[in-house]
Amino acid sequence: QVQLIESGGGLVQAGGSLRLSCAASGRTLSSYVMGWFRQAPGQEREFVSAVFWGGASTYADSVKDRFTISRDNTKNTVSLQMNSLKPEDTAVYYCVADHAFSRAAKTYDYWGQGTQVTVSS
């Protein structure tokens, strides 16, 4: 069984930066797609970014050029560097992992517990 534990959320002013980290345990995830979703109050979970085992990455249009995803297969971790944060980035951010890639939340078997990111205006 895979466990994902996020850290790094918090409160930041608009224009600021935060770095989220996710540590995986239970098995080696080097062959898994790892990524991030987020959910704002009253909204559905939405895709943010994903990174493939070889390091290639993809982003939602809303975060492209502001967020950077990376992974360390030796440490079983994935990180999300978030710059130029906007109030609309406020949400609970979830780390995910699965063998398959999709921008649909239902694809992912493994989810972290979530970490709150709040961006004040």
Side-chain angles (χ1 to χ4, degrees), residues 96-119:
V96 299
D98 201 275
H99 283 297
F101 168 72
S102 167
R103 293 179 181 236
K106 64 182 180 179
T107 296
Y108 295 85
D109 285 339
Y110 302 112
W111 290 78
Q113 81 286 356
T115 186
Q116 178 70 46
V117 171
T118 302
V119 184

Side-chain angles (χ1 to χ4, degrees), residues 9-18 38 66-67 82-91 93 116-121:
L11 173 64
V12 65
Q13 288 188 333
S17 298
L18 281 174
R38 66 186 182 186
R66 299 189 297 122
F67 291 10
M82 305 185 295
N83 298 329
S84 302
L85 283 161
K86 305 175 181 180
E88 51 264 43
D89 294 318
T90 295
Y93 283 69
Q116 178 70 46
V117 171
T118 302
V119 184
S120 63
S121 57

Side-chain angles (χ1 to χ4, degrees), residues 1-5 22-29 32-34 76 95-99 109-112:
Q1 186 70 12
V2 174
Q3 291 184 322
L4 304 174
I5 300 176
C22 173
S25 63
R27 69 178 62 176
T28 299
L29 298 188
Y32 283 61
V33 176
M34 298 188 74
N76 246 12
C95 178
V96 299
D98 201 275
H99 283 297
D109 285 339
Y110 302 112
W111 290 78

Side-chain angles (χ1 to χ4, degrees), residues 25-46:
S25 63
R27 69 178 62 176
T28 299
L29 298 188
S30 58
S31 64
Y32 283 61
V33 176
M34 298 188 74
W36 296 88
F37 278 72
R38 66 186 182 186
Q39 186 169 24
Q43 298 187 22
E44 295 185 353
R45 291 185 183 185
E46 66 170 351

Side-chain angles (χ1 to χ4, degrees), residues 5-75:
I5 300 176
E6 304 100 334
S7 60
L11 173 64
V12 65
Q13 288 188 333
S17 298
L18 281 174
R19 184 177 181 87
L20 304 183
S21 296
C22 173
S25 63
R27 69 178 62 176
T28 299
L29 298 188
S30 58
S31 64
Y32 283 61
V33 176
M34 298 188 74
W36 296 88
F37 278 72
R38 66 186 182 186
Q39 186 169 24
Q43 298 187 22
E44 295 185 353
R45 291 185 183 185
E46 66 170 351
F47 172 80
V48 175
S49 181
V51 59
F52 301 88
W53 69 272
S57 58
T58 186
Y59 299 90
D61 287 344
S62 59
V63 307
K64 198 175 297 183
D65 299 325
R66 299 189 297 122
F67 291 10
T68 303
I69 192 170
S70 60
R71 68 187 293 167
D72 186 334
N73 290 333
T74 64
K75 297 181 179 178

